[in-house]
Amino acid sequence: MTHTRREALLVGLGALVATAGIPRLAFAATTEERIAEFTGGAALGEGGITLTAPEIAENGNTVPISVEAPGAVAIMLLAAGNPNPDVGTFRFGPLAASQMASTRIRLAGTQDVIAIAQMADGSFVKTAREVKVTIGGCGG
Amino acid sequence: MAENVTPRVRVPDSASAGEAVLIKTLISHPMESGQRKDSQGNVIPRSIINRFTCEFNGETVIDATLEPAISTNPYFEFEALVNESGTFVFTWYDDDGSVYEERKDITVS
Amino acid sequence: MRQAKRLVGGGAVLVLLLAGAALADPDHDELIVNGEIEMIVRAPAPPHVENLDEIISGWSFRTDETQALQMDDFDNPGMLGVERALVMFDTPMGTAGQACSSCHETPEALRGVRATYPKWDEERQTVQTVEMQVNECLTERMGAEPLGYDSTEMVDMSALIASVSRGMVVDVAIDGPAQSTWEKGREMYYTRFGQLELACANCHEDNAGRMIRADHLSQGQINGFPAYRLNNAALISVHNRFRGCIRDTRAETFEVGSPEFVALELYVASRGNGLTVEGPSVRN
């Protein structure tokens, strides 16, 4: 089973359309909805959360990212430009030595990756990083 | 149903009490997103690992929800706190109902 | 030879493709896998590679993030194929009831194989690739069906065989009985194919280090094959990559396992004499 870039781009059709302008609100709303579900509408602070991602991803199929928010209970990751913005949520138990997790994600195109941490006191902090996803020269 | 699903984990054999140990996990899985079509134009149904958990001696280290945006062969790296010798239990939950489990012992001095 | 056309000046299509190409040199990072296998990612070009001063592993052309995936076997998804092949290695196949391990005991017994293949086979009077050798074992010694040249099982097995030679210097023989095959491969390397009229050399010799759209052109070295390509999220064989390259020139391509690709593999492998075996590597 292989995922080719062409198929990854098909996945990214939504993202391309969004770039073109018109239905951007629809996708943005989905991202906003996900955030609202996670936070229950609470205000989003800044700071105390670090998202590490490449500035330029060589291939959107496998983008290594790492997120850390000391003292967090949970961290949600979103990819705002994917047709489905959900990426995953990490919940940290009492035996997590740090509130850090690294994984590899799919990005359908250049976009913001968003991380929101729910802190132990019930507050939320957010950070985002733009990842540029390159279009290959060959077989792309 | 995904074939050849093999989990693997890297956990140190031993640690000192109260030490943070780095854990890496990888499971071979296509993570079929449900967004792709086959050569006949039919949508290939979604088939992913949708949840991953790590427990140590019955207590949670991490509990992750996975979506189709997680890459093929899902990889995770995180840190666990170990205060005593015991067993890590890693569990991956597949959309098709399969559950894959891997255990690793660690000696804490 | 299809669409064969000797290298001539011009190359308008390539000029178009590379329009605005910026120089983006490969980096000078060192590659040590698992903290112990020291790779040679830059070496003086062997004398038979007349147009290059230095040969450079494809690893050096990748981003830091992609490079990191190859530096630890746990992080390298290509090792999943190696693990699958390890099981196959000990599994009896065919009517003789033998497994690979019946003769070779452990994969480590095959250390050195990857570094010298493709190689002249005296008995068969032909240049053999690792894949051809595996199928010879299967059909002639084990009484088993041959594996598809580019099947998952074969690519996994080839990854296992490469993995035990990692860090060894590539040293394929180009003289003696292999010479005519090598020359055929060299001819192909400099022959323009397809509607885009591109030879291997146009991209990987004339323009290595430059960008082709957003892709960083390497020297097209094959010391890292089979390679886990992020583009496919799978291990990819050398011939599969050759086929992809030729397809991208908009040509009718040769088949994996064809005599043409065996010759090309020998020639391209010889361009990497002096680099180290890296397979299974991680590439874009």
Side-chain angles (χ1 to χ4, degrees):
Chain A
M1 131 124 258
T2 59
H3 285 79
T4 67
R5 165 171 302 262
R6 185 158 291 133
E7 287 160 336
L9 286 176
L10 271 178
V11 171
L13 191 64
L16 292 174
V17 173
T19 312
I22 305 146
R24 176 182 277 275
L25 284 175
F27 290 99
T30 311
T31 301
E32 292 304 319
E33 277 168 23
R34 286 290 178 272
I35 295 174
E37 279 172 28
F38 187 65
T39 62
L44 290 169
E46 284 181 9
I49 180 167
T50 312
L51 180 63
T52 309
E55 189 184 335
I56 299 173
E58 206 154 31
N59 196 293
N61 271 342
T62 310
V63 183
I65 59 157
S66 184
V67 65
E68 181 164 24
V73 178
I75 301 176
M76 180 175 68
L77 289 172
L78 294 168
N82 278 1
N84 171 350
D86 297 321
V87 175
T89 303
F90 299 106
R91 296 193 178 277
F92 300 99
L95 292 186
S98 60
Q99 286 68 47
M100 178 279 288
S102 300
T103 187
R104 298 167 183 166
I105 69 171
R106 294 171 173 153
L107 296 176
T110 296
Q111 59 181 287
D112 282 339
V113 177
I114 299 166
I116 298 168
Q118 177 183 10
M119 308 309 285
D121 64 2
S123 66
F124 291 86
V125 290
K126 176 190 166 192
T127 189
R129 277 188 80 88
E130 187 190 48
V131 178
K132 293 185 176 71
V133 177
T134 62
I135 308 296
C138 297
Chain B
M1 169 141 179
E3 290 173 8
N4 272 328
V5 179
T6 315
R8 57 175 181 155
V9 299
R10 178 183 283 176
V11 176
D13 294 330
S14 61
S16 327
E19 191 181 334
V21 296
L22 184 68
I23 293 175
K24 293 182 175 186
T25 73
L26 183 72
I27 187 164
S28 55
H29 196 284
M31 293 294 280
E32 188 59 61
S33 67
Q35 301 274 350
R36 304 196 310 157
K37 288 180 179 173
D38 64 19
S39 50
Q40 271 83 49
N42 304 310
V43 171
I44 305 171
R46 171 184 139 153
S47 173
I48 69 166
I49 298 284
N50 57 53
R51 187 181 172 209
F52 163 72
T53 63
C54 169
E55 289 183 352
F56 182 68
N57 289 349
E59 279 204 89
T60 300
V61 177
I62 198 166
D63 185 340
T65 312
L66 285 62
E67 303 290 345
I70 299 290
S71 302
T72 304
N73 304 326
Y75 172 90
F76 294 107
E77 191 179 315
F78 51 92
E79 291 182 317
L81 191 64
V82 289
N83 291 314
E84 55 186 349
S85 295
T87 306
F88 282 102
V89 179
F90 304 88
T91 315
W92 292 260
Y93 298 85
D94 197 310
D95 272 354
D96 68 11
S98 306
V99 176
Y100 310 100
E101 193 180 277
E102 184 81 358
R103 292 166 175 264
K104 283 279 174 185
D105 294 332
I106 187 168
T107 306
V108 172
S109 52
Chain C
M1 183 156 283
R2 32 192 132 172
Q3 287 107 25
K5 185 173 171 185
R6 285 294 298 164
L7 261 188
V8 287
V13 173
L14 188 68
V15 170
L16 270 178
L17 275 173
L18 295 165
L23 273 177
D25 289 332
D27 68 19
H28 283 80
D29 293 348
E30 288 183 6
L31 173 55
I32 301 173
V33 174
N34 300 330
E36 58 181 30
I37 309 173
E38 292 184 21
M39 300 291 187
I40 300 167
V41 292
R42 284 173 180 261
H48 59 266
V49 182
E50 56 265 63
N51 299 326
L52 294 178
D53 296 326
E54 191 180 30
I55 50 174
I56 305 169
S57 166
W59 183 83
S60 300
F61 293 81
R62 304 273 57 96
T63 61
D64 288 350
E65 290 82 12
T66 306
Q67 288 182 340
L69 294 176
Q70 199 189 317
M71 297 179 76
D72 184 326
D73 281 356
F74 195 92
D75 296 342
N76 180 348
M79 292 307 289
L80 291 166
V82 170
E83 288 174 12
R84 285 193 295 267
L86 267 174
V87 176
M88 214 183 342
F89 196 85
D90 289 325
T91 307
M93 291 176 271
T95 53
Q98 293 199 314
C100 306
S101 57
S102 307
C103 288
H104 301 294
E105 294 188 10
T106 65
E108 284 70 27
L110 298 170
R111 180 169 163 78
V113 168
R114 182 65 271 174
T116 58
Y117 270 71
K119 190 178 189 176
W120 177 257
D121 185 301
E122 198 55 45
E123 201 176 313
R124 299 199 151 200
Q125 291 289 299
T126 187
V127 168
Q128 291 238 102
T129 61
V130 165
E131 289 87 345
M132 290 158 76
Q133 195 66 55
V134 167
N135 271 342
E136 183 182 320
C137 281
L138 282 166
T139 55
E140 310 212 346
R141 296 176 202 280
M142 300 162 75
E145 290 295 312
L147 295 173
Y149 196 93
D150 199 33
S151 62
T152 303
E153 291 83 359
M154 181 62 93
V155 181
D156 288 350
M157 187 54 77
S158 142
L160 173 63
I161 292 167
S163 71
V164 296
S165 291
R166 284 184 296 171
M168 293 182 77
V169 176
V170 175
D171 184 21
V172 298
I174 65 171
D175 52 2
Q179 192 179 343
S180 63
T181 306
W182 181 81
E183 279 169 0
K184 191 174 151 198
R186 185 179 180 284
E187 173 84 16
M188 280 183 73
Y189 191 86
Y190 289 102
T191 299
R192 290 177 181 268
F193 287 94
Q195 292 175 321
L196 296 185
E197 299 189 348
L198 290 173
C200 306
N202 293 136
C203 285
H204 297 293
E205 186 170 278
D206 303 344
N207 287 291
R210 292 206 174 93
M211 304 299 286
I212 184 161
R213 294 208 288 167
D215 219 350
H216 198 187
L217 280 172
S218 74
Q219 287 186 348
Q221 297 286 355
I222 60 172
N223 58 307
F225 278 82
Y228 185 89
R229 290 194 73 209
L230 301 180
N231 203 28
N232 307 75
L235 275 170
I236 299 296
S237 68
V238 176
H239 289 198
N240 184 321
R241 185 59 274 194
F242 285 166
R243 189 177 58 190
C245 269
I246 294 191
R247 179 203 60 211
D248 290 346
T249 70
R250 300 188 191 163
E252 284 286 332
T253 152
F254 303 100
E255 294 300 321
V256 295
S258 62
E260 289 84 358
F261 276 170
V262 172
L264 186 61
E265 181 181 344
L266 174 63
Y267 175 70
V268 178
S270 81
R271 292 174 67 93
N273 275 357
L275 298 174
T276 37
V277 174
E278 289 180 32
S281 66
V282 180
R283 299 287 187 262
N284 181 25

